[in-house]
Structures are given as structure tokens and as C-alpha cells.
Amino acid sequence: EPEVTQTPSHQVTQMGQEVILRCVPISNHLYFYWYRQILGQKVEFLVSFYNNEISEKSEIFDDQFSVERPDGSNFTLKIRSTKLEDSAMYFCASSEYSRRAYEQYFGPGTRLTVT
Amino acid sequence: DAKTTQPTSMDCAEGRAANLPCNHSTISGNEYVYWYRQIHSQGPQYIIHGLKNNETNEMASLIITEDRKSSTLILPHATLRDTAVYYCIVSIHTDKLIFGTGTRLQVFP
């Protein structure tokens, strides 16, 4: 069964550094998402992306965050200058169609630790 | 989106049915009930969804009351691998999933 993959599984960085989290969505999917989960808290929507544009973003997704599909297979989340409070699990998801939340397939996540 | 209320935690014996309730008394006519689960900090996994009718798939059954104000997710024969946090989400068809705190289901031998 096709699956979403994410790298790295764990990233440790110092405060103020830039990080790029990488995701490979399922190959025929056209809609891409990032969510995050701070330890012990809820899974939170960050951003949705389609046709090389952000479709929707949450309040969390401020100017420090950006997303990109640099080639035909990768989807990345960049945090420009990390803060301690950015420490969380970051999940990428993809879907073939829009507005079908039940068809969102999630990756295993990247644990980001900011020290 | 309508708010949901779920018990914080539940236990279930392996092999028995796990019945996870969800209250969504303010649900609108065009809002669906979705169930997802998250196994130990992995990515959330879709289980099932429904609008009015009861639904069944290979993973679970979803029973929605006639007034649609509550629903129950049924795992017919729970296994240890079903230990997870289960999320009931009420929403129109959307791209943005809004997760609550869910029910932590512990399946014991």
C-alpha cells in the first residue's frame, strides 16, 4: 500500500536555526498538508497546499513558516528561525482530492527538538 | 465546526467489542462525523465517516443516532494493536481536520 514518508524522523536544532522538514506524498496525490502536535497536546492544522499555492493556513503558520514543492515528489516545510516552542511532531499528509478529509493519508512524522 | 465530547479514556479486553461514544449535540445538517485514531505518536489514521446512516468497513462500524446528536464507534474484536487515541471529528467535507483531545483506548490481554 502506498504511504507518505517523512525525513528525518528526528531533527535536533538550536534556537534561531533554520530547519527543513521533508515529505514524500503518495505519488498520485495533488493536495498536501502539514500538521503539528506539541507533546501531550492536540494535533493542529498548519497549512494546505495545492497547485504550488497555499490553499489555507492557520494562525500558527506565520512568516517564519514556508512550504514548497521543489520537485515532482517532495513537499517541504521550512521554519526560518526556530523557537523553543516549535518543538513538536510535524506530520505531513496528502490526498488525491480536495475536501475529502477521510482521504488524507498521514506520514509517520518528524520529531523536531529545538534546544 | 460543531464541538464533540468524548470520554478521556476507556479500557477494553482483547477480543471484546470496544464501543467508543461521542456526543455532538450541535451538529449541523451538512456536517459529517469522522473518526480517526493515533497510535502512539504516529500520524493520525482515518477509520470511518458517516452523515446519517450507520456505516461499516473493514476496520469498524459507526452508529449514528437518529437525531445525529451522538455516535458510537465500534471495534468489533479489539486487539492490542487497537490501543490508541481515537478522535471523533464533526465537520463539513473539508481539507482542514480539527482534532480534539480524543479518547485514549487501552486494550488489555
Side-chain angles (χ1 to χ4, degrees), chain A residues 23-92:
Chain A
C23 167
V24 178
I26 294 172
S27 61
N28 64 328
H29 286 187
L30 301 175
Y31 298 85
F32 314 112
Y33 316 89
W34 284 100
Y35 291 78
R36 79 170 186 190
Q37 186 175 31
I38 295 170
L39 186 63
Q41 298 188 23
K42 302 176 188 178
V43 177
E44 301 172 289
F45 170 82
L46 291 178
V47 67
S48 59
F49 187 86
Y50 168 70
N51 200 26
N52 285 318
E53 287 186 355
I54 291 175
S55 311
E56 187 172 1
K57 60 182 181 179
S58 72
E59 295 173 351
I60 303 166
F61 195 89
D62 61 22
D63 292 343
Q64 292 299 314
F65 292 88
S66 62
V67 288
E68 191 180 31
R69 187 151 164 83
D71 52 45
S73 58
N74 289 285
F75 179 52
T76 62
L77 174 69
K78 183 193 289 186
I79 308 175
R80 194 163 298 118
S81 178
T82 51
K83 307 183 191 76
L84 294 176
E85 54 264 37
D86 294 326
S87 294
M89 282 288 288
Y90 288 81
F91 296 108
C92 172

Side-chain angles (χ1 to χ4, degrees), chain B:
Chain B
D1 293 331
K3 187 176 176 180
T4 61
T5 304
Q6 298 179 252
T8 304
S9 63
M10 296 182 64
D11 289 339
C12 178
E14 191 177 20
R16 303 297 294 269
N19 297 287
L20 291 93
C22 180
N23 285 324
H24 31 79
S25 58
T26 59
I27 191 171
S28 302
N30 61 346
E31 288 182 313
Y32 289 74
V33 180
Y34 295 90
W35 283 85
Y36 273 74
R37 74 179 181 183
Q38 188 176 22
I39 298 173
H40 190 54
S41 296
Q42 295 178 21
Q45 177 190 24
Y46 165 78
I47 301 172
I48 199 167
H49 78 286
L51 183 63
K52 284 190 273 195
N53 300 322
N54 299 334
E55 303 287 345
T56 295
N57 62 21
E58 63 279 3
M59 289 182 69
S61 295
L62 174 60
I63 308 298
I64 302 174
T65 58
E66 197 168 332
D67 63 8
R68 303 208 323 126
K69 291 185 177 181
S70 65
S71 60
T72 302
L73 178 75
I74 301 172
L75 308 178
H77 305 287
T79 70
L80 297 178
R81 294 189 338 187
D82 292 321
T83 293
V85 178
Y86 287 77
Y87 301 100
C88 170
I89 300 172
V90 169
S91 177
I92 57 173
H93 272 333
T94 181
D95 288 329
K96 182 171 78 175
L97 290 166
I98 299 176
F99 292 85
T101 52
T103 295
R104 182 172 300 277
L105 176 68
Q106 178 69 53
V107 181
F108 57 90

